[in-house]
């Protein structure tokens, strides 16, 4: 059996017993029940993922994957394609947004070349290049089906390597000029959404370029006819190399019962691919922020994930995942470190005044 | 001149030159302009507050103020009044939500007794008790005008003491059974909002208690006739001792050009009082999260502040401020530590494809 199929077979639901014990402890901590909202829910999800009532995080790794897009030739991005390798070098040198925010969050950054168009020789960058950039999806498939599977499997291996090194919280990030075009195409195929909801300005294109971008995506879908019931077909025809890699990271995390924070729009498109291959892998995903890119909210709705941060960000790279990783830390610490009513000698709620079955 | 008036006279606008230099640097960093959204805006606001183009944070202090409310006798809270001193002891022992989240954010917690109903003798709790709990505002003024001023001045002194100890980022937090009742009354007076928008379930009261709470607030406003043009009048008639103290912290921070993170609903009500006394102090406020308490969004709208975290929290104590303080740190680090396009050798935007005057 292939690595991909084996991995998918290993993905199961969350552990209800650990979640129940975590919920019971949350309800004994010195606060009104449910008053820490998403922090409580996250800690309970973490308990279900880790199969322990008091989950812990000891090592966070953000996997940033880079790839180029043949569709950049259509003029869909505000930046030239040479920026992809330049930014990869910036990641390796520690000068990019993700480096700053990962350092702040105490997370390690691993940079993977999934398919930058030019040869790279940058110390510290992991070479998993499947091909030097995708083909122009407006004219035909972005990559072959075998290449799409190779991307997914490379992502699985990257997740498993990080986990083998002790990572118990993963985050995803992306770099690839024109990758919002591929991500919007993926979203459009899976959701059937109108272009006006699924396509946005990416790095900041103007109104004319936005119309062009929509035309290019329409053309890519018409030319390729991706089958929304077949995630590998969608990925190969209108996806990207880094997007396939990130979907693999998510599957690899889920198969190993490790949570994975889904960054922004590109990571969200990768999550759609992963969820189409194995809906249960959504159990292991944690949403971070909601991007300025209009399709991001649609993606989160499709995944039934709720973002925590509303900060008008649209950089990618894993910057939202890095910020959110600190919130996941916080959720586990609340569960582990807060005193219970009994320990602190604090009186509980006067039940007669309270709502029946009050939740959040 | 009184401490209060002197403090208000010292509050001025942000420094436009430092903000312009910070904006210029943000626009040279290796990311599409504006793509870090609120992180960029925050860093620029911080520059304007600190009057330096690259702002820094070296010490964060969250000031948690506690006070009791005579109106608790009306049965407006799900918890008995004895919980106020119990939770103050929990803060001092390090077992409350704010302790865990402040430790996580690297912030010091200072706990101030502004008016707990019973005598406290808890090591580590700062005694600034103005009176042992407010009077029941449903029957008359919560406190005298002089006591309201004393609360504000105690808050100013607490802010200045923290700043003298090196704090360059303050956060606010509260504890006081029934203090959502006072906060909803303050909001209702200042905004003229309908009760259904300004009054919520606090720590989790049921439907009947919620109706009672609205009746109590209506009665408090009718009996006291607070003058919305006079913040001290509003504070004294329908406010709280910890709310006055927190408003003072905000004024003291602003007068000393130190940013202050406004926690949730109670801190928001304090911010309304502070802003009514000196609208310019809003320049120094940073919003954190948006609470489950329905009036919180109204308060943030009144203050023209935008929250960053949407986490369904409703605990108070400064828990939202603690989480947000890490985002403020992150914003300053982005500005200080990211590489510029020139430093990293990254190509800039192709202007012909981009929007004219693109902002966020």
């Amino acid at each position: 059996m292939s690595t991909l199929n084996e991995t998918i077979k290993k993905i199961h639901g969350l552990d209800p017993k650990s979640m129940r014990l975590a919920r019971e402890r949350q309800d004994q901590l010195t606060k009104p029940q449910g008053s820490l909202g998403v922090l409580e829910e996250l800690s309970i999800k973490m308990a279900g993922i880790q199969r322990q009532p008091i989950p812990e995080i000891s090592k966070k790794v953000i996997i940033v994957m880079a790839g180029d897009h043949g569709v950049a030739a259509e003029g869909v991005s505000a930046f030239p394609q040479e920026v992809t390798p330049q930014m990869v070098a910036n990641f390796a040198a520690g000068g990019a947004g993700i480096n700053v925010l990962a350092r702040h969050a105490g997370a390690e950054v691993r940079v993977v070349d999934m398919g930058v168009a030019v040869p790279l020789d940058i110390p510290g960058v992991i070479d998993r290049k499947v091909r030097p950039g995708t083909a122009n999806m407006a004219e035909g498939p972005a990559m072959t089906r075998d290449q799409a599977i190779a991307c997914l499997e490379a992502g699985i291996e990257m997740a498993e390597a990080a986990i083998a090194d002790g990572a118990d919280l993963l985050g995803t990030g992306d770099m690839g000029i024109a990758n919002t075009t591929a991500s919007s195409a993926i979203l459009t195929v899976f959701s059937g959404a109108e272009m006006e909801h699924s396509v946005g300005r990416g790095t900041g294109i103007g109104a004319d370029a936005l119309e062009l971008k929509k035309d290019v995506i329409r053309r890519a879908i018409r030319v390729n006819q991706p089958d929304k019931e077949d995630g590998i077909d969608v990925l190969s025809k209108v996806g990207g190399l880094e997007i396939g890699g990130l979907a693999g990271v998510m599957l690899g995390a889920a198969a190993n019962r490790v949570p994975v924070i889904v960054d922004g729009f590109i990571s969200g498109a990768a999550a759609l691919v992963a969820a189409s291959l194995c809906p249960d892998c959504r159990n292991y995903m944690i949403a971070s922020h909601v991007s300025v890119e209009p399709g991001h909210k649609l993606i989160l709705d499709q995944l039934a994930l709720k973002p925590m941060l509303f900060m008008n960000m649209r950089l990618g790279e894993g910057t939202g995942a890095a910020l959110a990783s600190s919130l996941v830390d916080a959720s586990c610490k609340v569960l582990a470190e807060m005193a219970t009513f009994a320990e602190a000698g604090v009186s509980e709620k006067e039940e007669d005044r309270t709502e029946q079955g009050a939740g959040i």
Side-chain angles (χ1 to χ4, degrees), chain A residues 87-265:
Chain A
M87 283 302 298
V88 170
N90 197 19
F91 297 152
I98 182 54
N99 302 105
V100 175
L101 295 177
R103 280 198 297 270
H104 177 57
E108 180 187 329
V109 175
R110 296 194 178 181
V111 185
V112 185
D113 173 8
M114 289 297 303
V116 178
V118 296
L120 294 185
D121 183 18
I122 304 171
V125 175
I126 301 165
D127 178 10
R128 296 306 304 256
K129 202 191 293 274
V130 171
R131 55 180 282 171
T134 54
N136 183 350
M137 69 179 184
E139 299 173 346
M143 66 187 99
T144 67
R145 188 173 180 92
D146 282 350
Q147 287 166 342
I149 293 169
C151 290
L152 291 162
E153 295 190 337
I156 291 167
E157 285 163 34
M158 287 297 103
E160 293 189 338
I163 293 164
D165 292 342
D168 43 20
L169 179 63
L170 297 183
T172 64
D174 69 284
M175 179 67 221
I177 293 304
N179 67 6
T180 61
T181 301
S183 298
S184 287
I186 290 170
L187 169 60
T188 305
V189 171
F190 279 125
S191 70
E194 300 292 327
M195 293 277 159
E196 62 182 312
H197 302 304
S198 58
V199 186
R201 291 173 188 271
T203 47
I205 54 174
D208 290 349
L210 178 62
E211 288 313 307
L212 171 73
K213 185 172 171 180
K214 290 177 188 170
D215 283 342
V216 166
I217 293 170
R218 268 186 217 105
R219 194 144 44 100
I221 294 173
R222 194 175 60 237
V223 166
N224 288 295
Q225 297 291 322
D227 175 6
K228 67 179 278 193
E229 304 304 323
D230 178 354
I232 297 173
D233 191 61
V234 176
L235 174 63
S236 65
K237 286 175 172 170
V238 299
L241 300 153
E242 80 284 36
I243 295 172
L246 293 172
V249 168
M250 295 173 202
L251 294 169
N256 290 279
R257 302 194 77 90
V258 168
V260 57
I261 305 180
V262 180
D263 185 41
F265 186 57

Side-chain angles (χ1 to χ4, degrees), chain A residues 71 88 99 119 226 270 272 309:
Chain A
V71 74
V88 170
N99 302 105
L272 289 178
L309 294 157

